[in-house]
Amino acid sequence: MSRLRGRNGSVHPDNVKVALHIVDGGANNRGPSMADILSALSHALDMVEGQPRGHAARTAYIADRIADEIELDEGNRQEILYTSLLKDAGCSDNSARIHQIFGGDDLLTKNRVKVIDWSSKLESVKFAYANMERGGAVVQKLRRMVASLSTPDASMDALTRARCTRGAGIAKKLGFSDAVAEGVANVDEHWDGRGAPYKLSGERVPLYARIVGLAQTFEVFVSTFGLQAGLQMLQERNGKWFDPELVRAVFGFSQDTPFWSRHQAHLGDPNETLPSEIQGCEASATDIDAVCSAFAEIVDAKSDFTGQHSARVCEYSVELGRYFRFDSERLSILRRAALLHDLGKLGVSNAVLDKPGRLTEAEFAAVKLHPQFTDEILRRIEGFHRIADVASAHHERLNGSGYWQGFDSEQLDLDMRVVAVADVFDALSAERPYREALPLERVFSILDQESGTHLDPECVSAMKTLHRSSAVAA
């Protein structure tokens, strides 16, 4: 019998077994489970971590097999699945800081750090030098290193602490157990005590964190370099990064050809299913609302330019929806779409998002992809197609000049028009790091100029009616 034991703490209110086999788009006759929703949305977290889509789902697949090998019960396996899918929930929190430290593309930097031994000071210094001011002169690199890093390992601890603390908070906000939150908070700790951010060692590292920490690193190596390279990495880091018993567990199924064939198929097509004997049930409306709010926070945390933007767009959209007398079901869809409208921005580098000046043509092309990313991710969730339609249309314009699909007035329904006006209203009226908030009369003037050609006149008029008193008071 394994010496490893899980913690039978409270589980998510679903209190059900979780389906890996439906995590990535399996057909079913019910609404989505919590696992379905989190797995689909984890594709956005994969993007912000610079990983191929489906990384978190494949991590969950490997982590569940490890849990089975060490004979954990179904309750623990359920919580390990949630820990895997939420492991990067705080990842957007350090994106701006990584861009400030290294310069350039934070997504690329995050991708590259996954395949080095960052707990080694020598490796960290080499990584910092290689990735600071990529393509810049030696003097530029050294100057940025001195200005941005006290020591590389201290900086890694600070970045990891911000990421893991935020992620654990989101897990708790969603109603998951302390064990799940602690797993997320400590996923980058190592067996030898040289991980981050708290330098825990051995069994002081929570079991879920040990399992998911190994699974995520192993998954990156297998996806990037192949299974044998992944196994070699485990051997090299056995007893250092990873619990030796967990390493033995992985070698116990390392020759399971069907298991790794399914992993490879999912890597090639993240819409492939990942089978499991564990089942799931439908998420409640309250669960879905909580997830939408949590991911709105994740999106807004990525850039200092957009703090609370999604929440405000939601507020303004619902105001307009009530003005137009939407019924409760329609308002619920509108609320969720507004909260998640910028989900795809997690796939855009902070080098672009945080640029205060005019974007280049290539940079603007990158920005224009974000509503498409939003659409692709939300459409993965059973019952979210209408939410995807509305959320991904917020940059479309009545005259067809918008993006990503170039819809015009004949294709844009009222719900889409509402979110578009709410988005522009907040972009103009909110304070940004590079400018003060525009006076409401100036905001209204700009909206009037856009009315009829770009933005819906009735929505603009309604927004003015709802907020004219604020402008007068100012």
Side-chain angles (χ1 to χ4, degrees), residues 52-66:
R53 293 193 202 180
H55 160 69
R58 291 187 295 274
T59 294
Y61 179 61
I62 294 170
D64 181 66
R65 181 61 182 268
I66 294 171

Side-chain angles (χ1 to χ4, degrees), residues 381-448:
I381 305 172
E382 184 73 22
F384 268 50
H385 286 194
R386 177 58 181 163
I387 296 173
D389 289 340
V390 176
S392 66
H394 64 282
H395 283 294
E396 305 290 355
R397 296 296 179 254
L398 298 181
N399 62 3
S401 64
Y403 59 88
W404 60 292
Q405 298 186 89
F407 283 172
D408 61 22
S409 59
E410 293 187 0
Q411 297 156 299
L412 295 173
D413 59 41
L414 181 56
D415 307 60
M416 297 171 179
R417 298 176 187 211
V418 161
V419 178
V421 169
D423 182 57
V424 173
F425 180 77
D426 184 68
L428 296 172
S429 62
E431 183 178 348
R432 295 293 173 91
Y434 56 89
R435 65 158 172 81
E436 297 291 325
L438 296 181
L440 279 179
E441 287 299 341
R442 174 60 178 151
V443 172
F444 292 152
S445 175
I446 295 173
L447 290 178
D448 284 338

Side-chain angles (χ1 to χ4, degrees), residues 213-359:
L214 185 156
Q216 70 170 355
T217 304
F218 186 48
E219 201 289 314
V220 168
F221 271 77
V222 173
S223 293
T224 307
F225 305 116
L227 178 59
Q228 292 309 309
L231 294 171
Q232 181 179 342
M233 179 276 298
L234 288 184
Q235 288 179 321
E236 293 170 353
R237 301 184 187 183
N238 187 14
K240 298 175 182 177
W241 279 43
F242 308 126
D243 180 342
E245 186 163 344
L246 298 182
V247 173
R248 284 194 292 273
V250 175
F251 275 87
F253 62 91
S254 62
Q255 302 305 310
D256 186 342
T257 301
F259 180 89
W260 294 112
S261 294
R262 287 190 290 269
H263 176 279
Q264 189 64 28
H266 191 271
L267 180 63
D269 179 5
N271 290 314
E272 285 286 329
T273 58
L274 291 171
S276 171
E277 61 200 32
I278 308 174
Q279 301 297 313
C281 75
E282 188 172 352
S284 70
T286 301
D287 288 336
I288 294 173
D289 288 336
V291 171
C292 292
S293 294
F295 272 79
E297 289 185 22
I298 292 169
V299 171
D300 291 345
K302 191 173 194 296
S303 172
D304 292 338
F305 287 14
T306 55
Q308 298 298 307
H309 169 70
S310 299
R312 289 193 300 269
V313 170
C314 176
E315 177 185 349
Y316 301 143
S317 296
V318 171
E319 284 181 349
L320 289 172
R322 287 177 176 149
Y323 180 91
F324 291 116
R325 300 189 179 186
F326 287 9
D327 62 30
S328 59
E329 182 178 354
R330 191 173 178 184
L331 278 175
S332 178
I333 292 171
L334 182 67
R335 179 182 294 106
R336 293 167 182 173
L339 285 170
L340 297 174
H341 76 282
D342 269 345
L343 183 67
K345 279 191 175 178
L346 292 176
V348 181
S349 169
N350 278 67
V352 175
L353 293 180
D354 292 350
K355 184 177 179 179
R358 183 178 295 275
L359 299 179

